[in-house]
Amino acid sequence: GPLYAAFGLERTKDNTSNDDLSAYRIATRYTFAKVFSLGALFENMDKGDANQLTRNAYMVNAGINLSQSTQIKLEYIQAEDYDQSTETGAYSIVLGLNQKLGKTTSIYLVGVSTTNDDFASYGISQDGVGDPARAGTPGGDVVAFSIGVDQKF
């Protein structure tokens, strides 16, 4: 159907530092007439260490099908400052183009720009789960482009 919703919960414990990490994420997307989609995401992360670092992040996205085989996507992501600290947030803008070449093959082009606050160092993740391909520097900006092929088997 046209509505997608998801909820995720993660809890980990670092036995070497005795720190806990918990996070939850809520996401939704609605597709209008198979042509236009809008989505949103909220994430709360709490690192139960001596600093009690907690932060929220938000994401909104939109996609439009220009044809049956071409789609453009735009995404805005905002990470708030950690509790008890300032200038630790960041925002990213992502623009992507997806072109289907057949039933199982498509190519994509994606550009992302991340702007860090003075004490934030968000980077670019190579695998989508935090393995940094390019770490940010405090207060620095990160810009990256990706081109690739998706092949479904």
Side-chain angles (χ1 to χ4, degrees), residues 1-138:
L3 179 64
Y4 167 86
F7 175 80
L9 176 66
E10 177 181 4
R11 292 179 185 251
T12 61
K13 182 166 186 82
D14 183 345
N15 291 323
T16 58
S17 65
N18 210 26
D19 291 343
D20 294 328
L21 173 67
S22 64
Y24 67 88
R25 183 180 282 187
I26 301 167
T28 187
R29 182 180 64 238
Y30 191 84
T31 303
F32 301 88
K34 297 183 181 180
V35 175
F36 181 72
S37 64
L38 285 175
L41 177 139
F42 171 79
E43 177 184 72
N44 172 273
M45 186 177 73
D46 182 10
K47 185 175 182 188
D49 62 3
N51 297 320
Q52 294 296 313
L53 295 175
T54 300
R55 71 120 174 96
N56 294 327
Y58 312 89
M59 184 267 299
V60 292
N61 63 35
I64 188 163
N65 294 330
L66 301 176
S67 70
Q68 288 185 345
S69 60
T70 306
Q71 182 181 52
I72 291 180
K73 297 179 181 179
L74 179 64
E75 188 169 81
Y76 176 81
I77 306 159
Q78 174 76 47
E80 290 184 342
D81 290 338
Y82 282 98
D83 286 356
Q84 304 177 16
S85 62
T86 60
E87 295 295 317
T88 57
Y91 70 89
S92 291
I93 298 174
V94 183
L95 180 62
L97 175 68
N98 189 33
Q99 177 68 46
K100 290 181 184 177
L101 301 178
K103 286 180 79 174
T104 60
T105 307
S106 63
I107 58 173
Y108 64 87
L109 174 64
V110 177
V112 60
S113 174
T114 299
T115 302
N116 285 299
D117 288 348
D118 290 342
F119 302 114
S121 56
Y122 289 91
I124 304 296
S125 175
Q126 79 182 26
D127 61 7
V129 293
D131 184 19
R134 181 170 179 201
T137 57

